[in-house]
Amino acid sequence: MTTAALVLAAGGGRRYGMPKALVEYEGSLLVERAVRTARVVCDPVLVVLGARAVDVWRTADLAGATVLANRDWETGMASSLRTGLDGLRGWPGRVDAVLVTLVDMPGMTPAALERVAEHAAPGALAVATYDGVRGHPVLLGRDHWAGVAETATGDEGARRYLAGREVVEVDCTGLADPVDLDVPPGGVASEP
């Protein structure tokens, strides 16, 4: 069973003030951290870039990851999810499922990815929960990719598709920090 990882890192970071892929966190860029964490568990690892993609590509150490460019990144996370799923459909060799994770979650760990990846199968749908609240990573079996891509809009990603289906909730409480970085430390969120 081959499980890929898909790191969504294309956003412009409006509230943060810059693309989060270029944010330095504890000595490395957030995108580098996300790729390194995913590589512990998954092969292949795909990362979707958008805002300032050339700067990210030149600056970040993305060794071991395949970089995909999302030209429509300004339309929201759904376009990045579609870009990643399209990349996986054309992947040489069969990928049975993908773990979707976000660039702005520096507290994501291999342990949380592994726990959700245990449910990988072509027909699987699973989502990590933290104290009963759904978060990331989200596991999408290959059989669901077309449906997810078709229903994903704006910043919702797979939410609409998952809402009407049986989804395994995988308790990852204590395995990772599910908090995403919306504003700089000590900063204030700007108006969208």
Side-chain angles (χ1 to χ4, degrees):
M1 188 78 52
T2 301
T3 304
L6 178 58
V7 177
L8 303 182
R14 270 190 326 267
R15 289 178 289 170
Y16 201 92
M18 67 183 290
K20 293 178 191 173
L22 289 168
V23 171
E24 189 169 322
Y25 184 90
E26 295 182 358
S28 63
L29 298 179
L30 286 177
V31 69
E32 294 170 336
R33 185 181 188 96
V35 165
R36 272 196 318 267
T37 300
R39 284 188 58 224
V40 172
V41 179
C42 297
D43 183 25
V45 173
L46 284 70
V47 59
V48 179
L49 302 180
R52 293 182 53 193
V54 173
D55 292 337
V56 177
W57 182 74
R58 287 182 178 158
T59 306
D61 177 3
L62 301 176
T66 298
V67 176
L68 303 174
N70 175 9
R71 294 173 192 243
D72 297 324
W73 64 268
E74 291 181 271
T75 64
M77 184 188 351
S79 63
S80 292
L81 181 57
R82 282 192 299 274
T83 298
L85 293 175
D86 286 346
L88 285 169
R89 276 193 212 96
W91 196 259
R94 183 171 171 86
V95 175
D96 300 293
V98 62
L99 282 172
V100 180
T101 189
L102 307 178
V103 71
D104 63 354
M105 295 181 65
M108 183 53 60
T109 64
L113 293 173
E114 286 173 356
R115 172 88 46 98
V116 178
E118 290 172 2
H119 299 272
L125 292 171
V127 62
T129 63
Y130 303 89
D131 292 321
V133 177
R134 287 184 175 190
H136 282 84
V138 174
L139 178 80
L140 304 173
R142 181 181 194 86
D143 297 348
H144 298 282
W145 295 353
V148 168
E150 186 178 307
T151 59
T153 59
D155 277 325
E156 279 195 3
R159 185 176 299 144
R160 184 176 298 169
Y161 184 84
L162 297 176
R165 287 166 178 78
E166 187 175 324
V167 179
V168 175
E169 293 188 347
V170 183
D171 186 12
C172 292
T173 305
L175 292 181
D177 182 351
V179 175
D180 61 350
L181 298 180
D182 279 339
V183 296
V188 177
S190 62
E191 293 298 316

